Amino acid sequence: MREPKAMLMDANQMNRALSRIAHEIIEKNKGTEGVALVGIRRRGIPLAERLAAKLKEFEGKEVPVGTLDITLYRDDLTELSAVPQVHRSEVKFKLPGTVVILVDDVLYTGRTVRAALDALLDIGRPASIQLAVLIDRGHRELPIRADYVGKNVPTSHREVVEVHVSEIDGDDSVAVYDL
Amino acid sequence: MAGLKRKDILGLREMSTEEIDLILDTADALKDIATRPIKKLPTLRGKAFVTLFYENSTRTAKSFELAGKYLSADAINISISSSSVQKGETLKDTARNLEAMGIDAVVMRHPMGGAPHFLAKHLRASVINAGDGMHEHPTQGLLDMLTIRQRKGGFKGLKVAIIGDIFHSRVARSNVFGLAKYGAEVWVAGPSTLLPAGFEELGVKVTTRVEEALEGADVVNVLRLQLERQEKALFPTVAEYSKFWGVGPERLKLAKPDHVLMHPGPMNRGVEISTSAADGEQSVILEQVTNGVAVRMALLYLLLGGGDAA
């Protein structure tokens, strides 16, 4: 077992961070009318579902949740020795007129978000797109920023930030490891 | 990380179930793209492939071309009637010239079994067999399997009846090789002159009575009667073929009520398949065509999507 260098969040802290993001979403968009969440595979999907549950709890209305697989939009496919598995993207609601909030676990170089923006815009033309991330670890390589951030964490390139969610990993936590 | 551990797609016989699962899973994920308003992904930008067809084809060649275009690969079509082959160029020279122009894959149909295998040995580019003689047609086999899997959830224990001209059919061979790996019960039925020897050794049940194959079938795959190959008079008349082996609503009552009816196309309506069956409720013939694009997108992605180290 690798030892984490530092624990950034436990389950309670993650839950509170998501609650705060949900409140910020409601504040910024003056409610949840016309708002939809789209989780970026993989760990963005359970996070989007949790945010949707909180939005419903706070505002009393269902918020649609979609999923996005960005594999086919990656800019590093020709640098990988084996191609990654492709999964289905499911956005069942109409994008025109909708404020889409992209949800991912960690914002780092910004390249995943760039791919997600392209993937989403190929499906349709939303009214606007906002970005929610649990962790922003800096080191952007593209001009992208998040609208909602669970926690800002200064990191080095020689570190990895790992988000665990119980739906996939069996526990809720965020930790930093050395590469 | 996924990815196929092979450069070429030559046949289903040599493929593992893991590889077939990966191709079908990928095709399932890609299927929606063909129904979207914007049917274009940047995935294979800068990749090029050629469809090199030594036999006529509309569906397969155009299906590959569209699959490539949806993924932003550039597709070039060469039909032999208008190419240097008419000037006496050999297959190897034609392909190596195309490779010298920088193409990443060759999709080939050829009247001789084994021609794509020959080409695969001489090219760095990937070779995809789009039908070689009476040997294999792997992309048709895969799209048939994808259609069956979507409708039936799997293959194990399914009774699959393949009806018609088995002898000349590369579609039948690819289906048999693929389905047998998953434990499907495959039957082939047709006139004895169109049933090749040795199919029993592949674990297939062979019969000249179409009713026996249809009895309780989950999947009925009707093959095209290859009228252009009938110069040897392997059956007396088309009318007689239709009477004894043609598939229509009456005979389909023998199959399970929820059977699916497939045909690789192009259909000879009123010969091997009746119009009411082809357009009936159980027909999945157009789904097969849609799945064909998805399977070919999956193969192009899996073969061309990675870097040089693949």
Side-chain angles (χ1 to χ4, degrees):
Chain A
M1 267 301 278
R2 295 180 307 160
E3 279 301 309
K5 199 166 156 182
M7 291 301 292
L8 299 179
M9 275 187 189
D10 61 18
N12 280 330
Q13 289 165 313
M14 189 186 288
N15 187 44
R16 281 186 214 109
L18 289 172
S19 294
R20 178 173 52 73
I21 291 175
H23 282 299
E24 285 175 10
I25 289 172
I26 292 163
E27 186 183 13
K28 186 179 174 105
N29 296 289
K30 302 180 179 66
T32 57
E33 192 62 44
V35 170
L37 299 167
V38 172
I40 301 174
R41 240 190 104 80
R42 269 178 95 196
R43 288 176 181 73
I45 296 172
L47 294 177
E49 282 162 356
R50 290 190 203 183
L51 283 173
K54 288 185 185 297
L55 291 174
K56 184 173 184 216
E57 186 190 329
F58 302 150
E59 289 290 292
K61 284 179 77 176
E62 291 283 350
V63 175
V65 181
T67 67
L68 212 51
D69 182 274
I70 58 112
T71 308
L72 297 165
Y73 291 85
R74 286 173 66 150
D75 62 4
D76 59 352
L77 280 175
T78 54
E79 290 169 26
L80 303 172
S81 58
V83 293
Q85 171 89 55
V86 183
H87 296 273
R88 189 185 289 258
S89 294
E90 291 203 15
V91 177
K92 296 217 169 104
F93 44 87
K94 290 261 169 282
L95 288 174
T98 301
V99 175
V100 172
I101 300 170
L102 283 174
V103 182
D104 205 1
D105 54 353
V106 179
L107 178 58
Y108 182 25
T109 63
R111 288 175 192 265
T112 298
V113 175
R114 192 284 308 164
L117 290 170
D118 283 349
L120 194 64
L121 292 169
D122 274 1
I123 297 172
R125 184 176 183 276
S128 66
I129 304 177
Q130 301 169 4
L131 175 63
V133 297
L134 188 63
I135 301 291
D136 182 349
R137 61 171 290 192
H139 302 289
R140 218 75 77 237
E141 293 168 4
L142 296 170
I144 280 170
R145 56 155 186 80
D147 298 275
Y148 314 99
V149 179
K151 189 176 178 121
N152 282 293
V153 183
T155 60
S156 89
H157 278 301
R158 304 209 39 80
E159 292 170 329
V160 190
V161 175
E162 267 192 27
V163 172
H164 283 193
V165 288
S166 54
E167 293 90 331
I168 294 170
D169 310 290
D171 69 309
D172 285 343
S173 64
V174 183
V176 184
Y177 295 85
D178 273 321
L179 250 187
Chain B
M1 285 292 152
L4 293 169
K5 286 168 188 64
R6 57 175 70 241
K7 170 173 87 72
D8 312 294
I9 302 294
L10 302 175
L12 290 192
R13 183 174 215 165
E14 61 267 20
M15 285 185 137
S16 67
T17 54
E18 288 77 21
E19 286 178 296
I20 294 172
D21 285 342
L22 172 64
I23 294 166
L24 299 185
D25 290 347
T26 306
D28 255 334
L30 295 171
K31 195 182 170 186
D32 296 343
I33 290 158
T35 60
R36 297 202 324 208
I38 301 172
K39 305 178 224 310
K40 194 84 174 171
L41 286 87
T43 317
L44 296 181
R45 205 162 42 120
K47 303 281 183 178
F49 69 95
V50 59
T51 60
L52 180 61
F53 276 58
Y54 287 79
E55 287 181 302
N56 292 333
S57 161
T58 309
R59 192 177 340 262
T60 307
K62 293 302 158 197
S63 177
F64 266 111
E65 190 181 345
L66 272 176
K69 289 187 171 175
Y70 291 162
L71 292 175
S72 295
D74 291 304
I76 293 169
N77 300 294
I78 298 181
S79 68
I80 293 316
S81 55
S82 60
S83 78
S84 300
V85 176
Q86 297 299 332
K87 300 178 187 168
E89 190 172 54
T90 65
L91 169 59
K92 187 170 152 188
D93 280 338
T94 301
R96 291 185 68 172
N97 274 279
L98 292 166
E99 191 172 59
M101 294 180 199
I103 54 122
D104 299 292
V106 178
V107 176
M108 185 174 72
R109 171 168 291 182
H110 198 280
M112 302 296 286
H117 305 67
F118 166 82
L119 210 59
K121 277 191 204 129
H122 289 96
L123 292 183
R124 272 173 286 110
S126 291
V127 175
I128 302 178
N129 180 3
D132 60 331
M134 304 184 328
H135 179 230
E136 279 223 46
H137 190 349
T139 59
Q140 180 74 42
L142 289 165
L143 76 88
D144 287 346
M145 292 178 74
L146 180 63
T147 309
I148 295 170
R149 198 178 78 164
Q150 286 166 354
R151 285 304 188 115
K152 298 288 169 194
F155 307 105
K156 195 164 177 53
L158 288 186
K159 179 171 178 179
V160 180
I162 305 176
I163 314 285
D165 178 358
I166 311 296
F167 183 75
H168 294 105
S169 179
R170 50 199 177 209
V171 176
R173 283 174 185 78
S174 285
N175 264 276
V176 164
F177 291 139
L179 291 167
K181 289 179 204 289
Y182 288 85
E185 180 190 337
V186 185
W187 285 71
V188 299
S192 56
T193 46
L194 295 176
L195 288 172
F199 255 54
E200 293 88 347
E201 289 152 37
L202 301 170
V204 173
K205 303 213 167 67
V206 181
T207 176
T208 54
R209 288 188 58 244
V210 66
E211 289 79 8
E212 196 182 358
L214 288 175
E215 183 77 50
D218 299 282
V219 177
V220 180
N221 198 346
V222 182
L223 301 176
R224 189 173 72 88
L225 190 61
Q226 304 192 30
L227 295 167
E228 68 275 19
R229 295 193 210 259
Q230 293 303 340
E231 71 281 359
K232 287 189 213 129
L234 294 167
F235 55 87
T237 65
V238 168
E240 185 171 315
Y241 179 89
S242 183
K243 184 173 171 211
F244 286 99
W245 291 283
V247 173
E250 272 309 309
R251 286 204 167 116
L252 285 171
K253 284 180 187 159
L254 294 166
K256 286 205 182 129
D258 65 343
H259 72 271
V260 293
L261 177 66
M262 308 184 15
H263 190 295
M267 290 185 274
N268 300 301
R269 285 172 182 265
V271 181
E272 73 267 8
I273 190 164
S274 78
T275 283
S276 54
D279 301 333
E281 295 242 313
Q282 303 310 119
S283 168
V284 292
I285 294 169
L286 289 175
E287 277 175 48
Q288 289 175 270
V289 178
T290 306
N291 282 333
V293 177
V295 158
R296 288 163 185 130
M297 286 171 76
L299 289 175
L300 289 170
Y301 169 69
L302 293 168
L303 291 177
L304 304 184
D308 290 338

